[in-house]
């Protein structure tokens, strides 16, 4: 009798566990179905947001394009009207024309920046990459930015041509040019009188003796640095320099670094930086090396920069 009772109790417990397991399986199936439905809803929302972003970007790009052409037409008409009278203008009138020209250039630059930002708002697209010789890229940058540095009374240090022989990036040349040009312009803009900016190319070595899989483009300056409370929003759209800091506010709309970061991401990279107020800043990004014969010995390995947004307690030497 006791054996029969024990067997009965065991069967009851087994039946209860079977019911519980069945209930859990049913609940799990319901939960999986709900998760699948919510994922579908999220996918639909994401697709909708992507379409809206594309439409918004297309609208802004079209509006900026038309506005830019109208401004150019107005400036052209004004120039044709004023040129015959230029010699007869007084000093105040010439000064006023200079202000109009300066503000017009600033407006056109602003429109170009907004156009770039609108173009980058949609989802990233695969880019056709090619081998871009470092000499070609840095030569273009040097020709463009050396006059800017001289006009500002600053020193721009570039790698020697012989050190870049055979070195090439696997990238989109125009986008990488835009990224590095923005970093160099910022290094010049927020530097101190008589300061310096250095542009270097360093190999990113994974193992000793191996050819570098990536090349690190570094832009360092002797500027006023970036405070920790300003570092977090540095790459945020429309983030502008506080007006109470040295050198005054940035004249742009705060899109330069945001666009540069978006371009870097489209190249499969990311801009990172380290900075210390009063000493300087160092920005860099890693770009894949092209699969071509590279003169590895000419690229002297440098101490690897710590990939931190702001290295607390770290001291950076100026333009290191």
């Amino acid at each position: 009798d006791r054996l029969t009772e024990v067997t009965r109790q065991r069967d009851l417990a087994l039946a209860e566990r079977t019911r519980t397991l069945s209930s859990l399986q049913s609940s799990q199936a319901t939960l999986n179905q709900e998760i699948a439905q919510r994922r579908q809803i999220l996918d639909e929302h994401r697709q909708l947001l992507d379409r809206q972003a594309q439409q918004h970007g297309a609208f802004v790009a079209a509006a900026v394009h038309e506005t830019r052409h109208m401004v150019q037409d107005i400036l052209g008409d004004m120039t044709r009207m004023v040129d015959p009278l230029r010699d007869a203008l007084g000093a105040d009138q010439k000064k006023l024309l200079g202000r109009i020209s300066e503000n017009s250039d600033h407006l056109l630059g602003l429109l170009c920046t907004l156009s770039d930002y609108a173009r980058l708002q949609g989802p990233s697209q695969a880019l056709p990459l090619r081998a871009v010789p470092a000499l070609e890229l840095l030569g273009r940058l040097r020709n463009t930015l050396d006059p800017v540095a001289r006009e500002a009374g600053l020193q721009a240090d570039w790698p020697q041509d012989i050190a870049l022989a055979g070195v090439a990036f696997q990238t989109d040349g125009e986008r990488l040019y835009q990224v590095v040009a923005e970093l160099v312009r910022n290094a010049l803009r927020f530097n101190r009188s008589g300061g310096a900016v250095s542009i270097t190319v360093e190999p990113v070595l994974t193992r000793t003796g191996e050819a570098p899989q990536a090349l690190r483009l570094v832009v360092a300056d002797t500027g006023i640095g970036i405070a920790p409370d300003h570092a977090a929003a540095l790459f945020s759209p429309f983030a502008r320099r506080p007006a109470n800091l040295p050198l005054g506010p940035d004249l742009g709309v705060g899109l330069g670094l945001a666009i540069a970061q978006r371009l870097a991401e489209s190249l499969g990279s990311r801009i990172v930086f380290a900075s210390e107020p009063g000493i300087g800043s160092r920005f860099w990004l890693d770009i894949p090396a092209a699969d071509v014969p590279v003169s590895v010995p000419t690229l002297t390995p440098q101490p690897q920069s710590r990939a931190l947004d702001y290295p607390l307690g770290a001291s950076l030497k100026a333009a290191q």
Side-chain angles (χ1 to χ4, degrees):
D1 291 340
R2 285 200 302 270
L3 181 59
T4 301
E5 180 63 21
V6 169
T7 303
R8 190 179 68 83
Q9 292 295 334
R10 186 196 62 184
D11 291 342
L12 289 175
L14 182 59
E16 181 63 26
R17 290 183 181 181
T18 302
R19 285 194 298 271
T20 302
L21 179 60
S22 177
S23 177
L24 288 174
Q25 290 175 338
S26 177
S27 299
Q28 182 65 43
T30 303
L31 181 60
N32 289 340
Q33 184 179 5
E34 185 177 350
I35 291 174
Q37 291 174 347
R38 294 194 177 187
R39 282 179 177 172
Q40 182 178 358
I41 293 173
L42 287 175
D43 287 340
E44 292 174 354
H45 285 176
R46 184 173 62 249
Q47 293 172 5
L48 177 61
L49 289 174
D50 286 343
R51 287 196 299 270
Q52 289 177 341
Q54 289 177 339
Q55 292 171 356
H56 174 74
F59 169 76
V60 173
V64 168
H65 178 77
E66 294 301 323
T67 305
R68 186 170 57 186
H69 277 291
M70 286 190 289
V71 171
Q72 289 172 332
D73 289 343
I74 291 172
L75 290 176
D77 292 342
M78 187 189 72
T79 300
R80 286 190 291 271
M81 181 182 68
V82 170
D83 274 348
L85 308 173
R86 195 174 296 275
D87 293 338
L89 297 177
D92 290 341
Q93 292 171 318
K94 290 181 179 179
K95 183 177 179 180
L96 183 60
L97 278 178
R99 285 181 55 191
I100 292 174
S101 177
E102 182 180 343
N103 288 330
S104 299
D105 289 340
H106 177 56
L107 176 59
L108 288 175
L110 204 60
L111 290 171
C112 290
T113 300
L114 290 172
S115 177
D116 288 340
Y117 181 71
R119 180 169 49 85
L120 293 170
Q121 287 309 288
S124 299
Q125 298 179 352
L127 295 173
L129 306 181
R130 68 176 183 89
V132 178
L135 276 174
E136 173 189 312
L137 177 73
L138 294 181
R140 288 180 58 199
L141 289 164
R142 181 164 48 200
N143 291 338
T144 302
L145 297 171
D146 259 356
V148 180
R150 286 194 298 269
E151 185 177 353
L154 302 171
Q155 176 67 36
D157 298 321
W158 302 85
Q160 295 182 355
D161 289 353
I162 192 173
L164 298 178
V167 178
F169 304 96
Q170 186 69 19
T171 187
D172 180 277
E174 288 304 317
R175 292 200 170 194
L176 184 57
Y177 174 89
Q178 284 183 262
V179 173
V180 182
E182 178 63 26
L183 296 180
V184 176
R185 286 194 183 97
N186 274 349
L188 294 171
R189 183 181 298 124
F190 298 114
N191 219 306
R192 58 171 59 88
S193 178
V197 175
S198 69
I199 299 90
T200 57
V201 179
E202 305 171 357
V204 180
L205 301 178
T206 54
R207 294 180 183 177
T208 305
E210 288 188 355
Q213 299 299 309
L215 300 168
R216 177 164 294 173
L217 271 164
V218 183
V219 178
D221 64 66
T222 59
I224 59 176
I226 303 164
D229 53 342
H230 298 144
L234 194 64
F235 295 104
S236 299
F238 308 107
R240 300 186 63 189
R241 185 176 190 82
N244 61 341
L245 290 184
L247 302 181
D250 184 7
L251 294 178
V253 293
L255 286 175
L257 283 178
I259 291 174
Q261 185 70 284
R262 189 76 169 85
L263 289 170
E265 290 170 353
S266 73
L267 297 174
S269 184
R270 180 174 178 266
I271 302 171
V272 291
F273 73 96
S275 184
E276 188 166 335
I279 292 181
S281 302
R282 178 181 171 96
F283 288 76
W284 68 91
L285 71 159
D286 295 343
I287 299 295
D291 188 16
V292 296
V294 179
S295 303
V296 179
T298 62
L299 283 176
T300 304
Q302 302 292 328
Q304 294 299 309
S305 305
R306 298 191 338 179
L308 298 176
D309 283 348
Y310 193 86
L312 297 177
S315 178
L316 295 178
K317 292 183 179 179
Q320 183 174 357

